Amino acid sequence: MWREAAWLMVLLLLFHQICAAKDDEEHLCPPSSCGKITNIKEPFRLQGDPENCGHKSYELGCENNVSVLYLLSAKYQVEAINYKNYTVRVVDPALQHHNCSSLPLHSLSRSNFSDTYSYHNNLYQAGLSAYDNWESLNFEHIVFLNCKHSVKENRKYVESGECVKWDSEGYAYAVSGDLKAEDFEVGCDVKLVAPTSLRSLNYDSYTAIHRGLAYGFEISWVNLACQKISCSMFSCYFDSKSQNLACSSDGGRRTGSDLEGEGGKKEIGEIEE
């Protein structure tokens, strides 16, 4: 009986130490704040935070009271961080909501990201799933084109009107979604590719297209989160239905609840809007 009591005492002591360590960590690394992003925490950090807080690779800047993320040698404003599905929504700083002539400074598409989760040096991914990545992208593309002639028979081509003029003698168009080979019109050149995660709009007008661009786009750090669970021969991904990290392979899938004995679901925090 005394042995059982001793073991119980040891377990209680360990539990107390773990809780105390967690409390100390949270006390030493309280969430940072910059502008409307008021809950910057693991894995993110703000420039100037203590070195032991957050990941240096996921460091955000704070410029003129605006949180900024440095991505692919460019700077983007942070619109929201979602700690439950491991995404961050950013927008090109050149885009202005009420200025239809404003365009992103840089082209950006899925080709700029690698969704091969086995490569841990990829800080951000375009999708949340290890398989069927094209269908599970966090964003869709807006393709800008300049055409030598008017394109009226192709409904995918939305004319920008007076908002965008690539060439004084040409016609400027925007196409939402992926531009397939059969969609290319003779005499048209791609000028810019930009992402948006605002999928609720019907992009049949340039006003709607520009609104989608100004909303921004989501990218994921699920690669980092997946390092915290053991999938063995399976591949880790985020299951949007169960809202859990899960393991997948050609032989089937296992959700976070199936992995509790192997590390289970590892959530980093709450939603920040």
Side-chain angles (χ1 to χ4, degrees), residues 92 94-95 99-105 144 164 166 192 206 210 213:
D92 192 296
L95 284 163
N99 181 3
C100 68
S101 297
S102 63
L103 292 174
L105 296 173
F144 289 86
V164 179
W166 298 108
L192 178 70
Y206 187 73
H210 190 269
L213 290 176

Side-chain angles (χ1 to χ4, degrees), residues 167-227:
D167 190 323
S168 59
E169 298 180 355
Y171 298 83
Y173 293 95
V175 177
S176 62
D178 298 308
L179 197 62
K180 299 179 181 179
E182 59 264 28
D183 295 325
F184 273 101
E185 297 289 340
V186 177
C188 296
D189 297 318
V190 174
K191 304 295 290 185
L192 178 70
V193 179
T196 176
S197 292
L198 186 59
R199 301 173 184 265
S200 59
L201 291 178
N202 182 13
Y203 292 125
D204 56 359
S205 70
Y206 187 73
T207 299
I209 287 176
H210 190 269
R211 190 182 306 157
L213 290 176
Y215 174 81
F217 61 97
E218 294 178 350
I219 49 178
S220 169
W221 74 89
V222 70
N223 190 2
L224 178 66
C226 279
Q227 295 179 32

Side-chain angles (χ1 to χ4, degrees), residues 151-169:
V151 179
K152 295 182 178 180
E153 64 279 4
N154 193 330
R155 293 184 178 180
K156 290 186 176 181
Y157 281 61
V158 178
E159 191 170 2
S160 65
E162 296 299 321
C163 292
V164 179
K165 291 292 183 181
W166 298 108
D167 190 323
S168 59
E169 298 180 355

